[in-house]
Amino acid sequence: PPPAPGPGPPPPAAVERYNIFEDSKYVGNSDFRGKRFDFDPLGLAAAYPPFVPWFRECELRHGRTAMIAVLGFVATDFMRIPGDMYSFDAIPKTIDIHDALLKTGPMYQLLLWIGLWDLLVTAPATKAMGDGFREPGDYGWRWFAPASKDGFDTKRDAELKNGRLAMIALGGIATQSIITGHGFPYV
């Protein structure tokens, strides 16, 4: 009979998966009632731990943009900047502003300025974040920031929730504007 094989290599150690919801530096895993809400249905945080700061940076960036966009969408139903090209006579409905301003040119300026911002501010900030010199979303503008860490975390949590709500609201506003053809209150 052949000799019995040896004990063989030890079984591989269990790989512990990263859980962003257990990481104290990432706030935002609570719902509007203050209850715990761990939402990562695709498991991206566990699958790509090095990219978690980038994911958070993108969430904050899109949330901030959406908050401004919701304000702008509603405001342009009531007032416009001076100039005939922007008047209610030239563009009666807010939903038509994008296409009208593409034809006349101002949207290209907007693209240029956003591109310049991304080149001069976002790219170095993202590199600094990747190197560990800053937290996601922190551009160092803390004039109105609370002094305590708990107060600051509460503000960060509120910003995330407001940004998430604004991202959903913007989709709803645009959809209702197209379906109904009306401005604010979009019914």
Side-chain angles (χ1 to χ4, degrees):
V15 176
E16 189 173 324
R17 292 179 61 96
Y18 175 70
N19 186 353
I20 187 173
F21 305 116
E22 301 300 326
D23 193 339
S24 63
K25 71 179 180 179
Y26 287 102
V27 298
N29 61 329
S30 61
D31 64 9
F32 65 94
R33 301 167 299 175
K35 302 216 185 231
R36 189 176 172 103
F37 185 70
D38 298 343
F39 186 76
D40 186 13
L42 299 178
L44 295 175
Y48 305 103
F51 292 110
V52 168
W54 173 253
F55 296 154
R56 178 52 57 94
E57 178 84 15
C58 293
E59 181 181 19
L60 286 165
R61 192 79 191 274
H62 285 91
R64 291 169 180 169
T65 303
M67 287 187 273
I68 294 170
V70 167
L71 178 64
F73 218 118
V74 174
T76 54
D77 282 331
F78 299 103
M79 63 184 167
R80 302 281 172 88
I81 59 175
D84 291 337
M85 125 176 14
Y86 309 108
S87 70
F88 286 102
D89 294 332
I91 311 169
K93 295 188 293 185
T94 300
I95 196 69
D96 297 329
I97 289 175
H98 177 270
D99 293 341
L101 296 183
L102 266 177
K103 292 176 186 168
T104 57
M107 292 299 280
Y108 297 109
Q109 286 185 25
L110 187 61
L111 177 65
L112 173 78
W113 290 112
I114 290 172
L116 192 60
W117 173 269
D118 281 345
L119 186 65
L120 298 177
V121 176
T122 305
T126 302
K127 173 80 169 97
M129 180 189 63
D131 293 341
F133 293 117
R134 72 174 193 87
E135 293 291 317
D138 181 12
Y139 288 95
W141 301 336
R142 296 188 176 203
W143 303 298
F144 303 109
S148 71
K149 182 181 176 350
D150 288 340
F152 192 69
D153 286 348
T154 301
K155 287 289 188 186
R156 287 173 48 197
D157 191 46
E159 179 185 24
L160 279 166
K161 289 177 186 173
N162 289 336
R164 292 168 183 164
L165 178 62
M167 287 186 267
I168 293 169
L170 188 59
I173 289 171
T175 302
Q176 281 298 107
S177 293
I178 291 169
I179 290 173
T180 65
H182 297 121
F184 185 80
Y186 314 108
V187 288

